Every structure is written in structure tokens, then in C-alpha cells.
């Protein structure tokens, strides 16, 4: 049975799962679905056509499912999906999708969106993504699993950030980031591999060695960056390197941060 504070507003039509807790002065819109065990703390707002996965916690003053910050949005019916066991901290904002961007904003499981973090319209976040305080993900971005974005950093619209990459604090990212890449500096420079993250996830020494060799080849090999990636794809037997080359050779709306 759900626990709903008397001062909370739960509009008719909302679906409240078993074991949910809705705190004082929280607002739940009529098209919201809360999965089992979701906690919505005081003064948080969940609105729009929004689905929240099981055991996610939404902290005070977060606004989840409001309309996109996009002047092209004309009120079309679009959605937001948030996965299970996420933590959406104070003042974070997650917007619905837009018709022109596919109509869906999606956040995976076990994500941590810290104070003031923003997820823009039509963005996709994988599982276990961490957005530190005041990090902003613009519309149409794609972040793979296990990505970390440092505090006060921004990711430009349409940018892809590959699995396991880390972006340092106070960094502006305007180009695609390789899987397992390390990006820092005010204008977002690729500065190596996220070796700490690879080790923490239990990646073998052999795979890390293969990734380091691949990074050097991409940085210093003959031909253009794409030529090097194609040659690496033909030669590698490493699944992690294959993931990197597949990412590089896929279609993209942005250029790449390239190894230096």
C-alpha cells in the first residue's frame, strides 16, 4: 500500500505502485506512473507522460517530466522514462521528449543525478550514469553505460559519450567522446583513457593494454583519424577495442574529440 501525505497532490489518472511514498506538498500529474517502491520526497514535482522505475527516489524540488526547453515544442504528446533505483537529487530537472527528436527522453537504471543536474529533451542515458552537481546534458545527447559527468560541466546537443567515459568538472563537451575516454579542460580535450574506471569495473589487464595500444594508434598512426579507426577495426581481436572502433565508425551528428 502506498503512503501519501495529506498535503500531496496526486491528480486523477496517476498510477501509484505498491509501496510508494509521496511526501508533503509533492505533485504527481495525471499521466504519471510510479513503479513499486518509488519515493517522491517533499515539494518534488513529477508531471507529463512520465514513467518512473521501481525504487527510484526523487528528492525535494526536483522537477521530472516537464515540457522541453525547446522553442519548437508545440505541445505534442511525448514521454519520459526513468529506470529503476535511480537517485534524482534536489533541484534536478528532466524534460519530456519532442516530436522532432523521437518523442522520448530516457534514463537507465541505477543512475545518480546530483543536485541541479539537467537532462534535456530526447536525451538517452544508459545504466549507472552519474551526473555531478549542476551538470547539464543538452537535447538529443546519448550517454552510454557507466558514464560520469563532472560538476558544472555541459554536454552539447547531439553529442554521444561512449560507455565508461569520464568528463571532468567545469568542462564543455562539443564533440563525441570515445568509449572509456577521459575528457577534461574548459573546452573539453581528450586526455587519455579512464583507467581508474576500467580497473574498478574489473576489466582485465590484457584488455586495458589493448585499449592503450589502440588509443596510441588512433593518436599517432598513419592516415586520417577515420582511416586509423577502420584499420584498427580490421586488426583487433579485443572486444573493448571493437566497441571503440564501432563507436567511431557509426553515424554521428558531431565530430570527435581525437587523441593527442
Amino acid at each position: 500500500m502506498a503512503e501519501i501525505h495529506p498535503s500531496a497532490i496526486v491528480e486523477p489518472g496517476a498510477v501509484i505502485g505498491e509501496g510508494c511514498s509521496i511526501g508533503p506538498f509533492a505533485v504527481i500529474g495525471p499521466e504519471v506512473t510510479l513503479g513499486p517502491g518509488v519515493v517522491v520526497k517533499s515539494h518534488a514535482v513529477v508531471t507529463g507522460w512520465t514513467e518512473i522505475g521501481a525504487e527510484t527516489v526523487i528528492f525535494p524540488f526536483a522537477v521530472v517530466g516537464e515540457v522541453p526547453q525547446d522553442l519548437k515544442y508545440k505541445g505534442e504528446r511525448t514521454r519520459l522514462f526513468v529506470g529503476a533505483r535511480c537517485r534524482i537529487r534536489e533541484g534536478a530537472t528532466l524534460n519530456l521528449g519532442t516530436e522532432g527528436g523521437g518523442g522520448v527522453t530516457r534514463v537507465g537504471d541505477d543512475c545518480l543525478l546530483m543536485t541541479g543536474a539537467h537532462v534535456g529533451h530526447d536525451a538517452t542515458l544508459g545504466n549507472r550514469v552519474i551526473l555531478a552537481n549542476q551538470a547539464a546534458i543538452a537535447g538529443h545527447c546519448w550517454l552510454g553505460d557507466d558514464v560520469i559527468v563532472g560538476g558544472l560541466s555541459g554536454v552539447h546537443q547531439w553529442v554521444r559519450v561512449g560507455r565508461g567515459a569520464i568528463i571532468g568538472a567545469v568542462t564543455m563537451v562539443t564533440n563525441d567522446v570515445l568509449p572509456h575516454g577521459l575528457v577534461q579542460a574548459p573546452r573539453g580535450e581528450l586526455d587519455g583513457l579512464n583507467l581508474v574506471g576500467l580497473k574498478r569495473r574489473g576489466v582485465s589487464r590484457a584488455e586495458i593494454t589493448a585499449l592503450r595500444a589502440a588509443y596510441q594508434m588512433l593518436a599517432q598512426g598513419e592516415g586520417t583519424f577515420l582511416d586509423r579507426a577502420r584499420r584498427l577495426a580490421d586488426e583487433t581481436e579485443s572486444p573493448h577495442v571493437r566497441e571503440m572502433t564501432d563507436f567511431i565508425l557509426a553515424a554521428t551528428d558531431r565530430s570527435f574529440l581525437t587523441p593527442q
Side-chain angles (χ1 to χ4, degrees):
M1 183 175 179
E3 296 181 2
I4 302 175
H5 192 276
S7 66
I9 298 174
V10 179
E11 298 192 43
V15 177
I16 309 301
E18 183 70 23
C20 288
S21 174
I22 300 175
F25 304 104
V27 177
I28 308 298
E31 295 186 295
V32 170
T33 298
L34 303 183
V38 168
V39 176
V40 181
K41 297 196 175 189
S42 65
H43 298 86
V45 175
V46 186
T47 188
W49 189 11
T50 296
E51 182 174 332
I52 307 295
E55 300 180 14
T56 284
V57 180
I58 301 173
F59 285 75
F61 302 104
V63 180
V64 178
E66 262 295 359
V67 299
Q69 298 177 92
D70 184 344
L71 294 175
K72 298 186 295 299
Y73 180 73
K74 303 300 180 185
E76 58 266 24
R77 185 170 165 79
T78 55
R79 305 194 70 173
L80 166 67
F81 290 98
V82 176
R85 300 173 303 279
C86 292
R87 298 294 180 265
I88 301 173
R89 295 305 304 248
E90 297 84 350
T93 55
L94 290 74
N95 291 164
L96 300 171
T98 64
E99 186 176 43
V104 178
T105 304
R106 192 179 301 272
V107 175
D109 297 336
D110 301 299
C111 293
L112 171 59
L113 312 183
M114 295 187 194
T115 301
H118 174 68
V119 179
H121 60 86
D122 307 294
T124 298
L125 275 60
N127 300 323
R128 300 174 301 279
V129 169
I130 298 175
L131 305 183
N133 298 338
Q134 309 297 330
I137 308 302
H140 313 284
C141 289
W142 183 91
L143 277 62
D145 294 347
D146 301 303
V147 166
I148 299 174
V149 181
L152 296 169
S153 293
V155 181
H156 193 282
Q157 62 189 17
W158 298 105
V159 162
R160 300 178 304 145
V161 182
R163 180 171 74 98
I166 186 168
I167 296 167
V170 198
T171 298
M172 181 62 202
V173 179
T174 58
N175 296 305
D176 288 354
V177 179
L178 299 178
H180 314 293
L182 166 64
V183 176
Q184 55 189 355
R187 296 303 299 178
E189 298 172 5
L190 186 61
D191 195 28
L193 296 172
N194 181 15
L195 297 174
V196 171
L198 288 163
K199 292 173 183 176
R200 285 178 176 173
R201 289 191 293 277
V203 176
S204 70
R205 180 176 295 182
E207 281 294 303
I208 292 174
T209 299
L211 276 169
R212 296 180 78 166
Y215 185 90
Q216 290 301 316
M217 179 176 175
L218 290 170
Q220 301 174 358
E222 296 181 359
T224 66
F225 180 68
L226 288 179
D227 288 339
R228 298 170 203 161
R230 292 186 188 100
R231 187 162 63 251
L232 191 58
D234 291 338
E235 296 173 357
T236 189
E237 296 181 358
S238 161
H240 284 80
V241 175
R242 171 67 64 182
E243 177 187 19
M244 184 179 288
T245 58
D246 287 349
F247 184 89
I248 293 169
L249 298 174
T252 181
D253 292 286
R254 309 295 300 177
S255 57
F256 280 92
L257 290 174
T258 54
Q260 302 299 314

